[in-house]
């Protein structure tokens, strides 16, 4: 193809990418369109998508129903401020979110990214205790290996090592950490699985506003799957010690783990829940923080009687319309079956990796397949290998992982897993 690609050179010199360096010689691939489970590169190659654009594109790309919903909204009102004004897309979406999330969650705060929805959750917890005359409850307790976003509040509860805390340690609030649960998903927590957490709660509960966790799946902090028993135990410890529970379902929400929300594996409800990523089916940036009537009332009736946050693009109508269409599409689809089928194919397809000397562990849960290597992969080498194999897989550190769109067909999924087995097997040991 004779496409002019001067812009990609410009990009390298002038545009930051996620966790990137300007002028880096790491490859960046020009993509010109995306349809279904395929990304098309400028040179005409098509890649099968194994990433869902970081958990988001659950229906695949360019979906006609999502496009129709956005086109209709574009025609009438792509955006309007949310201070003093409201619109039906915001109300319809909130109604749906309240309906499908655990019962106690009754109010919705819209933000434009997952990180900000975490900031909002943390502020809600602090304001709640302030209004309960327990203003000293300002700290957060969490587990290591977590990831909650890149803004300062969110960063403070990310894993202190992999989250690159040390660079910012002077300015970050000092939170309380315990080791990540060692009991694996589907297994009981032997002995007292949440002992470390219990000890910290016992000691510091009068300073702790909330425990914040990713339920069941720790995503960008290590792609680990932990026991539902642990999560259940955390819920009861929070109740016992008068501490709120914030569940960050930004990655796990909307079916990825086989349940609509990962907290359903433990049959518990949080006091505050963060949603984002696949909320709009990968089309627009939108996130939401849901909370209970009790917390909402307390914040609203306390001092200053307002919740202190209000983004410019709050409840963007275009994003709300996309999200509503995405949810309807999901809920009208046989998503449980699809995720189950993907889970079985990932299990089968990635199993040969277990025999490879380069590989430490293979684990699969729902539509998430993880190959943990013994050593960090060399992105300079591995990324072009995956592209040459016709797939889009983006490893990080020691983790090569797949989380394809739910609509992926068996053949494409097979191509994806075979490519992982092939490419990983060629990595230098
Ligand atoms: C991606 C992610 C975030 C941050 O969301 P952004 O939209 O990137 O700000 C927070 N928590 C979890 C669990 C995530 O996976």
């Amino acid at each position: 193809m004779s496409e002019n690609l001067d812009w990609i050179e410009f990009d390298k010199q002038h545009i930051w990418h996620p966790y990137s360096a300007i002028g880096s010689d790491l490859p960046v691939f020009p993509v010109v369109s995306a349809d279904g489970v395929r990304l098309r590169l400028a040179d005409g190659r098509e890649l099968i998508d194994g990433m869902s654009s970081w958990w988001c594109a659950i229906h695949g790309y360019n979906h006609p129903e999502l496009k129709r919903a956005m086109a209709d909204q574009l025609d009438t009102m792509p955006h309007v401020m949310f201070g003093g004004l409201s619109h039906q897309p915001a109300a319809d979406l909130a109604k749906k979110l309240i309906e499908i999330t655990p019962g106690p969650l009754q109010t919705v705060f819209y933000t434009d990214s997952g990180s900000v929805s975490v900031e909002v959750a943390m502020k809600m917890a602090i304001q709640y205790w302030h209004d309960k005359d327990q203003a000293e409850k300002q700290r957060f307790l969490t587990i290591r290996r977590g990831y909650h976003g890149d803004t300062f509040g969110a960063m403070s509860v990310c894993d202190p090592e992999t989250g690159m805390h040390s660079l910012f340690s002077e300015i970050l609030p000092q939170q309380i950490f315990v080791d990540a649960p060692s009991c694996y998903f589907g297994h009981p927590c032997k002995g007292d699985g949440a002992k470390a957490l219990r000890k910290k709660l016992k000691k510091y509960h009068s300073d702790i506003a909330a425990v914040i966790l990713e339920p069941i799946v720790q995503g960008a902090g290590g792609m680990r799957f932990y026991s539902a028993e642990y999560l259940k135990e955390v819920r009861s410890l929070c109740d016992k010690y008068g501490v709120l529970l914030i569940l960050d379902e930004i990655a796990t929400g909307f079916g990825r783990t086989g349940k609509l929300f990962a907290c359903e594996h433990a049959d518990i409800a949080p006091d505050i829940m963060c949603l984002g990523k696949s909320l709009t089916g990968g089309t627009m940036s939108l996130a939401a923080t849901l909370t209970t009537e009790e917390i909402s009332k307390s914040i609203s009736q306390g001092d200053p009687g307002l919740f202190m946050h209000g983004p410019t693009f709050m409840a963007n109508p275009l994003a709300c319309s996309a999200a509503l269409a995405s949810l309807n599409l999901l809920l009208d689809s046989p998503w449980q079956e699809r995720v189950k089928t993907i889970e079985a194919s990932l299990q089968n397809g990635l199993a040969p990796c277990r025999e490879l000397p380069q590989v430490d562990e293979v684990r699969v849960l729902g539509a998430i397949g993880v190959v943990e290597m013994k050593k960090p992969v060399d992105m300079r080498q591995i990324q072009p290998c995956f592209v040459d194999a016709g797939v889009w897989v983006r490893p990080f550190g020691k983790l090569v992982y797949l989380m394809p769109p739910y609509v992926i067909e068996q053949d494409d999924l097979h191509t994806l897993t075979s490519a992982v087995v092939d490419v990983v097997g060629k990595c230098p040991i």
Side-chain angles (χ1 to χ4, degrees):
M1 260 174 95
S2 60
E3 198 139 347
N4 183 342
L5 285 178
D6 289 350
W7 62 266
I8 198 85
E9 281 313 309
F10 176 87
D11 176 302
K12 283 186 180 170
Q13 299 308 320
H14 297 279
I15 308 179
W16 298 99
H17 286 253
Y19 288 91
S20 75
I22 291 289
S24 153
D25 62 347
L26 281 174
V28 174
F29 297 89
V31 56
V32 291
S33 64
D35 194 76
V37 300
R38 282 175 167 71
L39 308 175
R40 180 188 278 269
L41 299 184
D43 63 9
R45 284 187 289 178
E46 283 193 345
L47 309 180
I48 298 169
D49 176 35
M51 305 306 294
S52 300
S53 282
W54 279 337
W55 315 85
C56 297
I58 53 177
H59 312 295
Y61 300 90
N62 209 17
H63 197 288
E65 286 187 36
L66 299 186
K67 286 205 295 187
R68 192 174 322 121
M70 286 193 289
D72 289 350
Q73 189 58 42
L74 195 60
D75 248 4
T76 54
M77 182 175 63
H79 184 65
V80 64
M81 66 186 278
F82 211 53
L85 296 174
S86 194
H87 46 78
Q88 200 172 346
D92 289 348
L93 177 60
K95 199 178 271 178
K96 194 93 205 168
L97 288 174
I98 289 167
E99 182 191 313
I100 64 174
T101 52
L105 303 171
Q106 290 295 319
T107 66
V108 180
F109 191 102
Y110 291 115
T111 53
D112 29 29
S113 80
S115 301
V116 177
S117 79
V118 171
E119 301 289 329
V120 164
M122 294 171 81
K123 285 167 85 169
M124 279 179 175
I126 289 175
Q127 268 198 251
Y128 170 75
W129 291 115
H130 180 269
D131 295 326
K132 290 269 166 197
D133 288 325
Q134 297 192 56
E136 64 289 349
K137 283 167 91 70
Q138 296 229 348
R139 296 181 76 192
F140 293 85
L141 171 58
T142 187
I143 55 180
R144 290 179 201 275
R145 310 289 204 102
Y147 177 76
H148 297 285
D150 292 345
T151 51
F152 278 88
M155 245 199 311
S156 77
V157 286
C158 289
D159 186 277
E161 274 129 54
T162 59
M164 281 169 279
H165 264 201
S166 55
L167 271 173
F168 306 102
S169 60
E170 295 291 310
I171 192 172
L172 281 183
Q174 297 301 301
Q175 312 296 13
I176 303 166
F177 291 88
V178 297
D179 282 343
S182 54
C183 32
Y184 193 74
F185 182 80
H187 294 260
C189 278
K190 284 197 202 87
D192 187 357
K195 188 172 169 193
L197 198 108
R198 180 199 311 268
K199 275 167 93 176
K200 295 285 188 199
L201 276 174
K202 198 168 175 186
K203 191 161 174 197
Y204 298 114
H205 64 93
S206 53
D207 296 328
I208 297 175
V211 170
I212 178 167
L213 299 175
E214 295 156 278
I216 304 297
V217 176
Q218 294 188 284
M223 303 295 286
R224 300 171 87 249
F225 311 146
Y226 66 85
S227 171
E229 272 189 15
Y230 184 87
L231 193 56
K232 242 190 167 88
E233 180 71 13
V234 173
R235 175 70 271 182
S236 65
L237 287 171
C238 285
D239 291 341
K240 179 171 175 196
Y241 287 104
V243 161
L244 300 179
L245 178 61
I246 301 172
L247 290 185
D248 178 349
E249 292 252 12
I250 291 168
T252 51
F254 308 110
R256 182 58 67 177
T257 67
K259 302 275 188 192
L260 198 52
F261 299 100
C263 62
E264 294 170 21
H265 288 288
D267 212 6
I268 59 146
D271 301 296
I272 303 175
M273 179 188 267
C274 299
L275 298 173
K277 292 218 158 90
S278 65
L279 175 57
T280 64
T283 54
M284 300 283 297
S285 183
L286 184 72
T289 310
L290 280 79
T291 191
T292 61
E293 198 176 313
E294 141 92 354
I295 293 172
S296 309
K297 272 204 176 131
S298 175
I299 292 172
S300 308
Q301 293 166 2
D303 169 32
L306 309 166
F307 180 58
M308 304 304 270
H309 205 95
T312 306
F313 282 93
M314 188 168 186
N316 172 253
L318 203 48
C320 288
S321 304
L324 191 62
S326 173
L327 284 183
N328 287 331
L329 202 54
L330 178 70
L331 298 170
D332 291 344
S333 76
W335 63 269
Q336 288 103 324
E337 256 168 69
R338 284 178 178 164
V339 170
K340 263 210 173 77
T341 307
I342 294 171
E343 183 172 40
S345 303
L346 289 173
Q347 288 283 15
N348 282 333
L350 295 177
C353 289
R354 292 203 171 91
E355 313 303 320
L356 298 172
Q358 294 90 339
V359 172
D360 193 24
E361 196 184 59
V362 177
R363 43 189 189 263
V364 173
L365 173 61
I368 314 167
V370 182
V371 177
E372 182 156 349
M373 309 286 286
K374 288 179 180 149
K375 289 197 297 196
V377 298
D378 178 352
M379 289 299 276
R380 207 169 264 94
Q381 289 195 335
I382 203 169
Q383 188 77 87
C385 281
F386 278 123
V387 171
D388 289 342
V391 300
W392 182 241
V393 179
R394 176 118 182 121
F396 71 87
K398 291 182 191 168
L399 302 167
V400 179
Y401 61 104
L402 297 175
M403 42 201 193
Y406 303 165
V407 295
I408 195 163
E409 304 278 348
Q410 281 302 310
D411 283 358
D412 289 337
L413 194 48
H414 185 254
T415 306
L416 266 177
T417 53
S418 306
V420 169
V421 176
D422 275 2
V423 171
V424 157
K426 287 181 199 133
C427 279
I429 310 177

